[in-house]
mmCIF file of all heavy atoms in Angstrom:
data_model
loop_
_atom_site.group_PDB
_atom_site.id
_atom_site.type_symbol
_atom_site.label_atom_id
_atom_site.label_comp_id
_atom_site.label_asym_id
_atom_site.label_seq_id
_atom_site.Cartn_x
_atom_site.Cartn_y
_atom_site.Cartn_z
ATOM 1 N N ASP B 1449 -3.821 60.667 -58.447
ATOM 2 C CA ASP B 1449 -3.227 59.499 -59.062
ATOM 3 C C ASP B 1449 -2.016 59.929 -59.877
ATOM 4 O O ASP B 1449 -2.058 60.925 -60.607
ATOM 5 C CB ASP B 1449 -4.241 58.814 -59.966
ATOM 6 C CG ASP B 1449 -3.665 57.568 -60.616
ATOM 7 O OD1 ASP B 1449 -3.731 56.502 -59.988
ATOM 8 O OD2 ASP B 1449 -3.153 57.696 -61.737
ATOM 9 N N ARG B 1451 -0.525 58.656 -62.469
ATOM 10 C CA ARG B 1451 -0.719 58.647 -63.925
ATOM 11 C C ARG B 1451 -1.541 59.856 -64.379
ATOM 12 O O ARG B 1451 -1.296 60.441 -65.429
ATOM 13 C CB ARG B 1451 -1.418 57.352 -64.329
ATOM 14 C CG ARG B 1451 -1.298 57.041 -65.784
ATOM 15 C CD ARG B 1451 0.138 56.648 -66.124
ATOM 16 N NE ARG B 1451 0.399 56.806 -67.552
ATOM 17 C CZ ARG B 1451 0.736 57.964 -68.112
ATOM 18 N NH1 ARG B 1451 0.857 59.038 -67.371
ATOM 19 N NH2 ARG B 1451 0.962 58.043 -69.407
ATOM 20 N N ARG B 1452 -2.504 60.161 -63.570
ATOM 21 C CA ARG B 1452 -3.376 61.292 -63.893
ATOM 22 C C ARG B 1452 -2.578 62.599 -63.901
ATOM 23 O O ARG B 1452 -2.644 63.385 -64.859
ATOM 24 C CB ARG B 1452 -4.483 61.352 -62.844
ATOM 25 C CG ARG B 1452 -5.480 62.451 -63.063
ATOM 26 C CD ARG B 1452 -6.550 62.366 -61.978
ATOM 27 N NE ARG B 1452 -7.344 63.578 -61.893
ATOM 28 C CZ ARG B 1452 -8.154 63.865 -60.873
ATOM 29 N NH1 ARG B 1452 -8.247 63.024 -59.855
ATOM 30 N NH2 ARG B 1452 -8.843 64.976 -60.863
ATOM 31 N N ASN B 1455 -0.424 62.963 -66.839
ATOM 32 C CA ASN B 1455 -1.147 63.418 -68.032
ATOM 33 C C ASN B 1455 -1.218 64.939 -68.093
ATOM 34 O O ASN B 1455 -1.181 65.523 -69.177
ATOM 35 C CB ASN B 1455 -2.563 62.833 -68.032
ATOM 36 C CG ASN B 1455 -2.589 61.403 -68.515
ATOM 37 O OD1 ASN B 1455 -1.770 61.014 -69.342
ATOM 38 N ND2 ASN B 1455 -3.515 60.610 -68.001
ATOM 39 N N TYR B 1456 -1.332 65.556 -66.930
ATOM 40 C CA TYR B 1456 -1.344 67.021 -66.907
ATOM 41 C C TYR B 1456 0.035 67.561 -67.291
ATOM 42 O O TYR B 1456 0.153 68.454 -68.119
ATOM 43 C CB TYR B 1456 -1.721 67.530 -65.511
ATOM 44 C CG TYR B 1456 -3.072 67.081 -65.024
ATOM 45 C CD1 TYR B 1456 -3.355 66.995 -63.661
ATOM 46 C CD2 TYR B 1456 -4.079 66.739 -65.924
ATOM 47 C CE1 TYR B 1456 -4.602 66.592 -63.208
ATOM 48 C CE2 TYR B 1456 -5.320 66.326 -65.478
ATOM 49 C CZ TYR B 1456 -5.574 66.250 -64.119
ATOM 50 O OH TYR B 1456 -6.803 65.842 -63.680
ATOM 51 N N GLN B 1460 -1.415 66.091 -71.925
ATOM 52 C CA GLN B 1460 -2.305 65.139 -72.588
ATOM 53 C C GLN B 1460 -3.728 65.245 -72.055
ATOM 54 O O GLN B 1460 -4.676 64.888 -72.733
ATOM 55 C CB GLN B 1460 -1.775 63.710 -72.397
ATOM 56 C CG GLN B 1460 -0.489 63.476 -73.182
ATOM 57 C CD GLN B 1460 0.244 62.236 -72.753
ATOM 58 O OE1 GLN B 1460 -0.028 61.705 -71.676
ATOM 59 N NE2 GLN B 1460 1.179 61.774 -73.567
ATOM 60 N N ARG B 1461 -3.836 65.692 -70.832
ATOM 61 C CA ARG B 1461 -5.160 65.934 -70.241
ATOM 62 C C ARG B 1461 -5.135 67.274 -69.532
ATOM 63 O O ARG B 1461 -4.075 67.842 -69.303
ATOM 64 C CB ARG B 1461 -5.519 64.829 -69.230
ATOM 65 C CG ARG B 1461 -5.486 63.443 -69.808
ATOM 66 C CD ARG B 1461 -6.727 63.161 -70.621
ATOM 67 N NE ARG B 1461 -6.479 62.095 -71.587
ATOM 68 C CZ ARG B 1461 -6.653 60.798 -71.335
ATOM 69 N NH1 ARG B 1461 -7.081 60.422 -70.161
ATOM 70 N NH2 ARG B 1461 -6.405 59.908 -72.260
ATOM 71 N N GLU B 1462 -6.332 67.740 -69.186
ATOM 72 C CA GLU B 1462 -6.428 68.958 -68.397
ATOM 73 C C GLU B 1462 -7.295 68.705 -67.181
ATOM 74 O O GLU B 1462 -8.294 67.990 -67.268
ATOM 75 C CB GLU B 1462 -7.044 70.093 -69.232
ATOM 76 C CG GLU B 1462 -6.122 70.636 -70.285
ATOM 77 C CD GLU B 1462 -6.711 71.869 -70.975
ATOM 78 O OE1 GLU B 1462 -7.812 72.290 -70.581
ATOM 79 O OE2 GLU B 1462 -6.068 72.383 -71.896
ATOM 80 N N ARG B 1527 -24.628 97.086 -81.853
ATOM 81 C CA ARG B 1527 -25.830 96.290 -81.729
ATOM 82 C C ARG B 1527 -27.023 97.183 -81.905
ATOM 83 O O ARG B 1527 -26.906 98.392 -82.063
ATOM 84 C CB ARG B 1527 -25.853 95.653 -80.352
ATOM 85 C CG ARG B 1527 -26.833 94.554 -80.202
ATOM 86 C CD ARG B 1527 -26.403 93.688 -79.020
ATOM 87 N NE ARG B 1527 -25.360 94.331 -78.231
ATOM 88 C CZ ARG B 1527 -25.620 95.005 -77.131
ATOM 89 N NH1 ARG B 1527 -26.834 95.116 -76.706
ATOM 90 N NH2 ARG B 1527 -24.652 95.545 -76.457
ATOM 91 N N GLN B 1528 -28.184 96.594 -81.851
ATOM 92 C CA GLN B 1528 -29.403 97.377 -82.022
ATOM 93 C C GLN B 1528 -29.553 98.358 -80.870
ATOM 94 O O GLN B 1528 -28.847 98.301 -79.882
ATOM 95 C CB GLN B 1528 -30.605 96.443 -82.072
ATOM 96 C CG GLN B 1528 -30.389 95.239 -82.948
ATOM 97 C CD GLN B 1528 -29.787 95.590 -84.297
ATOM 98 O OE1 GLN B 1528 -30.077 96.631 -84.853
ATOM 99 N NE2 GLN B 1528 -28.936 94.748 -84.821
ATOM 100 N N ARG B 1530 -31.773 98.536 -78.707
ATOM 101 C CA ARG B 1530 -32.359 98.056 -77.462
ATOM 102 C C ARG B 1530 -31.301 97.421 -76.572
ATOM 103 O O ARG B 1530 -30.865 96.318 -76.844
ATOM 104 C CB ARG B 1530 -33.430 96.988 -77.745
ATOM 105 C CG ARG B 1530 -34.532 97.454 -78.626
ATOM 106 C CD ARG B 1530 -35.312 98.537 -77.929
ATOM 107 N NE ARG B 1530 -36.146 99.228 -78.928
ATOM 108 C CZ ARG B 1530 -37.460 99.165 -78.926
ATOM 109 N NH1 ARG B 1530 -38.054 98.477 -78.028
ATOM 110 N NH2 ARG B 1530 -38.149 99.806 -79.827
ATOM 111 N N GLY B 1532 -30.236 95.424 -73.348
ATOM 112 C CA GLY B 1532 -30.944 94.472 -72.498
ATOM 113 C C GLY B 1532 -30.774 94.839 -71.047
ATOM 114 O O GLY B 1532 -30.728 96.006 -70.704
ATOM 115 P P DT D 484 -49.521 93.981 -80.068
ATOM 116 O OP1 DT D 484 -50.272 94.118 -81.323
ATOM 117 O OP2 DT D 484 -49.651 92.781 -79.235
ATOM 118 O "O5'" DT D 484 -47.992 94.204 -80.402
ATOM 119 C "C5'" DT D 484 -47.550 95.523 -80.796
ATOM 120 C "C4'" DT D 484 -46.029 95.578 -80.806
ATOM 121 O "O4'" DT D 484 -45.519 95.901 -79.485
ATOM 122 C "C3'" DT D 484 -45.344 94.261 -81.212
ATOM 123 O "O3'" DT D 484 -44.459 94.539 -82.273
ATOM 124 C "C2'" DT D 484 -44.624 93.808 -79.944
ATOM 125 C "C1'" DT D 484 -44.372 95.134 -79.227
ATOM 126 N N1 DT D 484 -44.224 95.068 -77.746
ATOM 127 C C2 DT D 484 -43.260 95.830 -77.139
ATOM 128 O O2 DT D 484 -42.520 96.564 -77.746
ATOM 129 N N3 DT D 484 -43.217 95.719 -75.765
ATOM 130 C C4 DT D 484 -44.013 94.918 -74.972
ATOM 131 O O4 DT D 484 -43.885 94.893 -73.760
ATOM 132 C C5 DT D 484 -44.999 94.139 -75.679
ATOM 133 C C7 DT D 484 -45.908 93.227 -74.925
ATOM 134 C C6 DT D 484 -45.055 94.240 -77.017
ATOM 135 P P DA D 485 -43.921 93.380 -83.242
ATOM 136 O OP1 DA D 485 -44.138 93.758 -84.648
ATOM 137 O OP2 DA D 485 -44.375 92.073 -82.721
ATOM 138 O "O5'" DA D 485 -42.357 93.510 -82.951
ATOM 139 C "C5'" DA D 485 -41.785 94.808 -82.843
ATOM 140 C "C4'" DA D 485 -40.449 94.701 -82.140
ATOM 141 O "O4'" DA D 485 -40.648 94.679 -80.706
ATOM 142 C "C3'" DA D 485 -39.671 93.425 -82.476
ATOM 143 O "O3'" DA D 485 -38.297 93.730 -82.600
ATOM 144 C "C2'" DA D 485 -39.940 92.533 -81.283
ATOM 145 C "C1'" DA D 485 -39.959 93.573 -80.164
ATOM 146 N N9 DA D 485 -40.641 93.125 -78.952
ATOM 147 C C8 DA D 485 -41.678 92.244 -78.858
ATOM 148 N N7 DA D 485 -42.087 92.030 -77.623
ATOM 149 C C5 DA D 485 -41.255 92.832 -76.860
ATOM 150 C C6 DA D 485 -41.170 93.056 -75.468
ATOM 151 N N6 DA D 485 -41.958 92.470 -74.576
ATOM 152 N N1 DA D 485 -40.218 93.917 -75.051
ATOM 153 C C2 DA D 485 -39.423 94.496 -75.950
ATOM 154 N N3 DA D 485 -39.413 94.367 -77.281
ATOM 155 C C4 DA D 485 -40.362 93.514 -77.667
ATOM 156 P P DA D 486 -37.324 92.710 -83.358
ATOM 157 O OP1 DA D 486 -37.209 93.077 -84.779
ATOM 158 O OP2 DA D 486 -37.725 91.332 -82.980
ATOM 159 O "O5'" DA D 486 -35.945 93.036 -82.629
ATOM 160 C "C5'" DA D 486 -35.694 94.361 -82.151
ATOM 161 C "C4'" DA D 486 -34.925 94.311 -80.851
ATOM 162 O "O4'" DA D 486 -35.808 93.979 -79.751
ATOM 163 C "C3'" DA D 486 -33.817 93.253 -80.836
ATOM 164 O "O3'" DA D 486 -32.666 93.803 -80.220
ATOM 165 C "C2'" DA D 486 -34.405 92.133 -79.992
ATOM 166 C "C1'" DA D 486 -35.269 92.913 -79.009
ATOM 167 N N9 DA D 486 -36.369 92.133 -78.455
ATOM 168 C C8 DA D 486 -37.221 91.324 -79.138
ATOM 169 N N7 DA D 486 -38.130 90.744 -78.379
ATOM 170 C C5 DA D 486 -37.842 91.213 -77.108
ATOM 171 C C6 DA D 486 -38.444 90.977 -75.848
ATOM 172 N N6 DA D 486 -39.494 90.172 -75.686
ATOM 173 N N1 DA D 486 -37.916 91.604 -74.784
ATOM 174 C C2 DA D 486 -36.866 92.414 -74.968
ATOM 175 N N3 DA D 486 -36.216 92.718 -76.105
ATOM 176 C C4 DA D 486 -36.769 92.073 -77.143
ATOM 177 P P DA D 487 -31.236 93.117 -80.472
ATOM 178 O OP1 DA D 487 -30.285 94.182 -80.822
ATOM 179 O OP2 DA D 487 -31.426 91.943 -81.361
ATOM 180 O "O5'" DA D 487 -30.868 92.566 -79.029
ATOM 181 C "C5'" DA D 487 -30.843 93.463 -77.933
ATOM 182 C "C4'" DA D 487 -31.123 92.719 -76.658
ATOM 183 O "O4'" DA D 487 -32.440 92.130 -76.712
ATOM 184 C "C3'" DA D 487 -30.171 91.549 -76.391
ATOM 185 O "O3'" DA D 487 -29.343 91.872 -75.285
ATOM 186 C "C2'" DA D 487 -31.099 90.364 -76.052
ATOM 187 C "C1'" DA D 487 -32.438 91.018 -75.851
ATOM 188 N N9 DA D 487 -33.568 90.160 -76.220
ATOM 189 C C8 DA D 487 -33.893 89.685 -77.453
ATOM 190 N N7 DA D 487 -34.959 88.927 -77.472
ATOM 191 C C5 DA D 487 -35.372 88.910 -76.143
ATOM 192 C C6 DA D 487 -36.444 88.290 -75.487
ATOM 193 N N6 DA D 487 -37.344 87.541 -76.116
ATOM 194 N N1 DA D 487 -36.561 88.486 -74.144
ATOM 195 C C2 DA D 487 -35.646 89.248 -73.529
ATOM 196 N N3 DA D 487 -34.597 89.891 -74.040
ATOM 197 C C4 DA D 487 -34.512 89.676 -75.357
ATOM 198 P P DA D 488 -28.307 90.771 -74.734
ATOM 199 O OP1 DA D 488 -27.193 91.518 -74.135
ATOM 200 O OP2 DA D 488 -28.067 89.762 -75.790
ATOM 201 O "O5'" DA D 488 -29.132 90.087 -73.567
ATOM 202 C "C5'" DA D 488 -29.643 90.900 -72.527
ATOM 203 C "C4'" DA D 488 -30.288 90.019 -71.472
ATOM 204 O "O4'" DA D 488 -31.480 89.418 -72.017
ATOM 205 C "C3'" DA D 488 -29.400 88.866 -70.999
ATOM 206 O "O3'" DA D 488 -29.416 88.810 -69.585
ATOM 207 C "C2'" DA D 488 -30.011 87.636 -71.652
ATOM 208 C "C1'" DA D 488 -31.475 88.031 -71.780
ATOM 209 N N9 DA D 488 -32.149 87.384 -72.902
ATOM 210 C C8 DA D 488 -31.745 87.353 -74.200
ATOM 211 N N7 DA D 488 -32.568 86.700 -74.992
ATOM 212 C C5 DA D 488 -33.579 86.275 -74.146
ATOM 213 C C6 DA D 488 -34.753 85.536 -74.372
ATOM 214 N N6 DA D 488 -35.111 85.071 -75.574
ATOM 215 N N1 DA D 488 -35.549 85.284 -73.300
ATOM 216 C C2 DA D 488 -35.189 85.752 -72.112
ATOM 217 N N3 DA D 488 -34.108 86.460 -71.784
ATOM 218 C C4 DA D 488 -33.337 86.691 -72.856
ATOM 219 P P DC D 489 -28.478 87.806 -68.850
ATOM 220 O OP1 DC D 489 -28.247 88.382 -67.511
ATOM 221 O OP2 DC D 489 -27.352 87.487 -69.748
ATOM 222 O "O5'" DC D 489 -29.372 86.501 -68.684
ATOM 223 C "C5'" DC D 489 -30.644 86.608 -68.049
ATOM 224 C "C4'" DC D 489 -31.418 85.319 -68.235
ATOM 225 O "O4'" DC D 489 -31.824 85.200 -69.608
ATOM 226 C "C3'" DC D 489 -30.628 84.052 -67.924
ATOM 227 O "O3'" DC D 489 -31.096 83.503 -66.694
ATOM 228 C "C2'" DC D 489 -30.924 83.122 -69.103
ATOM 229 C "C1'" DC D 489 -32.067 83.834 -69.833
ATOM 230 N N1 DC D 489 -32.113 83.591 -71.291
ATOM 231 C C2 DC D 489 -33.207 82.923 -71.846
ATOM 232 O O2 DC D 489 -34.111 82.546 -71.114
ATOM 233 N N3 DC D 489 -33.222 82.692 -73.180
ATOM 234 C C4 DC D 489 -32.220 83.126 -73.950
ATOM 235 N N4 DC D 489 -32.291 82.885 -75.256
ATOM 236 C C5 DC D 489 -31.100 83.817 -73.407
ATOM 237 C C6 DC D 489 -31.084 84.033 -72.079
ATOM 238 P P DA D 498 -11.153 67.035 -77.260
ATOM 239 O OP1 DA D 498 -10.538 68.377 -77.305
ATOM 240 O OP2 DA D 498 -10.542 65.885 -77.980
ATOM 241 O "O5'" DA D 498 -11.315 66.624 -75.734
ATOM 242 C "C5'" DA D 498 -12.132 67.426 -74.901
ATOM 243 C "C4'" DA D 498 -12.139 66.831 -73.507
ATOM 244 O "O4'" DA D 498 -12.948 65.642 -73.503
ATOM 245 C "C3'" DA D 498 -10.747 66.429 -73.014
ATOM 246 O "O3'" DA D 498 -10.546 66.972 -71.720
ATOM 247 C "C2'" DA D 498 -10.777 64.904 -73.000
ATOM 248 C "C1'" DA D 498 -12.258 64.590 -72.870
ATOM 249 N N9 DA D 498 -12.646 63.346 -73.537
ATOM 250 C C8 DA D 498 -12.325 62.952 -74.804
ATOM 251 N N7 DA D 498 -12.814 61.775 -75.138
ATOM 252 C C5 DA D 498 -13.506 61.374 -74.002
ATOM 253 C C6 DA D 498 -14.246 60.223 -73.708
ATOM 254 N N6 DA D 498 -14.416 59.217 -74.574
ATOM 255 N N1 DA D 498 -14.811 60.131 -72.475
ATOM 256 C C2 DA D 498 -14.630 61.142 -71.621
ATOM 257 N N3 DA D 498 -13.955 62.279 -71.785
ATOM 258 C C4 DA D 498 -13.412 62.336 -73.012
ATOM 259 P P DC D 499 -9.249 66.610 -70.893
ATOM 260 O OP1 DC D 499 -8.916 67.794 -70.095
ATOM 261 O OP2 DC D 499 -8.246 65.972 -71.767
ATOM 262 O "O5'" DC D 499 -9.817 65.513 -69.885
ATOM 263 C "C5'" DC D 499 -10.948 65.840 -69.088
ATOM 264 C "C4'" DC D 499 -11.372 64.635 -68.281
ATOM 265 O "O4'" DC D 499 -11.860 63.630 -69.173
ATOM 266 C "C3'" DC D 499 -10.216 64.012 -67.498
ATOM 267 O "O3'" DC D 499 -10.437 64.156 -66.106
ATOM 268 C "C2'" DC D 499 -10.203 62.546 -67.920
ATOM 269 C "C1'" DC D 499 -11.500 62.353 -68.682
ATOM 270 N N1 DC D 499 -11.340 61.455 -69.869
ATOM 271 C C2 DC D 499 -11.975 60.213 -69.882
ATOM 272 O O2 DC D 499 -12.652 59.880 -68.922
ATOM 273 N N3 DC D 499 -11.806 59.413 -70.959
ATOM 274 C C4 DC D 499 -11.051 59.811 -71.994
ATOM 275 N N4 DC D 499 -10.913 58.995 -73.036
ATOM 276 C C5 DC D 499 -10.401 61.087 -71.984
ATOM 277 C C6 DC D 499 -10.570 61.869 -70.919
ATOM 278 P P DG D 500 -9.275 63.814 -65.118
ATOM 279 O OP1 DG D 500 -9.468 64.642 -63.921
ATOM 280 O OP2 DG D 500 -7.999 63.841 -65.847
ATOM 281 O "O5'" DG D 500 -9.582 62.301 -64.718
ATOM 282 C "C5'" DG D 500 -10.801 61.997 -64.069
ATOM 283 C "C4'" DG D 500 -10.861 60.523 -63.747
ATOM 284 O "O4'" DG D 500 -10.888 59.778 -64.980
ATOM 285 C "C3'" DG D 500 -9.667 59.993 -62.949
ATOM 286 O "O3'" DG D 500 -10.132 59.094 -61.953
ATOM 287 C "C2'" DG D 500 -8.807 59.301 -64.006
ATOM 288 C "C1'" DG D 500 -9.835 58.842 -65.015
ATOM 289 N N9 DG D 500 -9.361 58.810 -66.404
ATOM 290 C C8 DG D 500 -8.604 59.759 -67.036
ATOM 291 N N7 DG D 500 -8.341 59.461 -68.277
ATOM 292 C C5 DG D 500 -8.958 58.246 -68.479
ATOM 293 C C6 DG D 500 -9.015 57.430 -69.640
ATOM 294 O O6 DG D 500 -8.516 57.633 -70.758
ATOM 295 N N1 DG D 500 -9.752 56.258 -69.423
ATOM 296 C C2 DG D 500 -10.351 55.932 -68.230
ATOM 297 N N2 DG D 500 -11.015 54.778 -68.198
ATOM 298 N N3 DG D 500 -10.311 56.688 -67.132
ATOM 299 C C4 DG D 500 -9.596 57.823 -67.332
ATOM 300 P P DT D 501 -9.069 58.450 -60.931
ATOM 301 O OP1 DT D 501 -9.761 58.281 -59.641
ATOM 302 O OP2 DT D 501 -7.807 59.204 -61.018
ATOM 303 O "O5'" DT D 501 -8.826 57.012 -61.562
ATOM 304 C "C5'" DT D 501 -9.946 56.255 -61.994
ATOM 305 C "C4'" DT D 501 -9.487 55.045 -62.770
ATOM 306 O "O4'" DT D 501 -9.104 55.433 -64.105
ATOM 307 C "C3'" DT D 501 -8.274 54.332 -62.167
ATOM 308 O "O3'" DT D 501 -8.673 53.041 -61.753
ATOM 309 C "C2'" DT D 501 -7.248 54.282 -63.307
ATOM 310 C "C1'" DT D 501 -8.078 54.593 -64.534
ATOM 311 N N1 DT D 501 -7.349 55.310 -65.625
ATOM 312 C C2 DT D 501 -7.324 54.754 -66.870
ATOM 313 O O2 DT D 501 -7.865 53.696 -67.132
ATOM 314 N N3 DT D 501 -6.630 55.479 -67.806
ATOM 315 C C4 DT D 501 -5.966 56.683 -67.616
ATOM 316 O O4 DT D 501 -5.378 57.232 -68.526
ATOM 317 C C5 DT D 501 -6.038 57.207 -66.272
ATOM 318 C C7 DT D 501 -5.355 58.498 -65.932
ATOM 319 C C6 DT D 501 -6.724 56.499 -65.354
ATOM 320 P P DT D 502 -7.632 52.119 -60.928
ATOM 321 O OP1 DT D 502 -8.434 51.470 -59.867
ATOM 322 O OP2 DT D 502 -6.435 52.901 -60.589
ATOM 323 O "O5'" DT D 502 -7.226 51.006 -61.998
ATOM 324 C "C5'" DT D 502 -8.217 50.494 -62.894
ATOM 325 C "C4'" DT D 502 -7.545 49.730 -64.025
ATOM 326 O "O4'" DT D 502 -7.080 50.659 -65.041
ATOM 327 C "C3'" DT D 502 -6.329 48.897 -63.617
ATOM 328 O "O3'" DT D 502 -6.501 47.554 -64.051
ATOM 329 C "C2'" DT D 502 -5.152 49.585 -64.302
ATOM 330 C "C1'" DT D 502 -5.812 50.257 -65.493
ATOM 331 N N1 DT D 502 -5.108 51.480 -65.972
ATOM 332 C C2 DT D 502 -4.842 51.598 -67.319
ATOM 333 O O2 DT D 502 -5.145 50.748 -68.129
ATOM 334 N N3 DT D 502 -4.195 52.755 -67.665
ATOM 335 C C4 DT D 502 -3.807 53.783 -66.814
ATOM 336 O O4 DT D 502 -3.234 54.771 -67.252
ATOM 337 C C5 DT D 502 -4.121 53.592 -65.430
ATOM 338 C C7 DT D 502 -3.740 54.638 -64.430
ATOM 339 C C6 DT D 502 -4.749 52.463 -65.076
ATOM 340 P P DC D 503 -5.539 46.399 -63.511
ATOM 341 O OP1 DC D 503 -6.385 45.199 -63.358
ATOM 342 O OP2 DC D 503 -4.752 46.911 -62.374
ATOM 343 O "O5'" DC D 503 -4.545 46.152 -64.732
ATOM 344 C "C5'" DC D 503 -5.076 45.856 -66.028
ATOM 345 C "C4'" DC D 503 -3.978 45.962 -67.075
ATOM 346 O "O4'" DC D 503 -3.699 47.358 -67.307
ATOM 347 C "C3'" DC D 503 -2.653 45.317 -66.672
ATOM 348 O "O3'" DC D 503 -2.414 44.152 -67.458
ATOM 349 C "C2'" DC D 503 -1.601 46.396 -66.928
ATOM 350 C "C1'" DC D 503 -2.345 47.483 -67.686
ATOM 351 N N1 DC D 503 -1.903 48.862 -67.334
ATOM 352 C C2 DC D 503 -1.424 49.715 -68.328
ATOM 353 O O2 DC D 503 -1.369 49.300 -69.488
ATOM 354 N N3 DC D 503 -1.009 50.956 -67.990
ATOM 355 C C4 DC D 503 -1.081 51.360 -66.717
ATOM 356 N N4 DC D 503 -0.673 52.603 -66.428
ATOM 357 C C5 DC D 503 -1.578 50.510 -65.689
ATOM 358 C C6 DC D 503 -1.976 49.278 -66.038
#
Side-chain angles (χ1 to χ4, degrees):
Chain B
D1449 181 86
R1451 198 70 200 83
R1452 181 178 165 194
N1455 280 329
Y1456 300 155
Q1460 290 165 343
R1461 303 282 157 89
E1462 288 187 2
R1527 195 159 12 97
Q1528 315 313 325
R1530 302 295 165 113

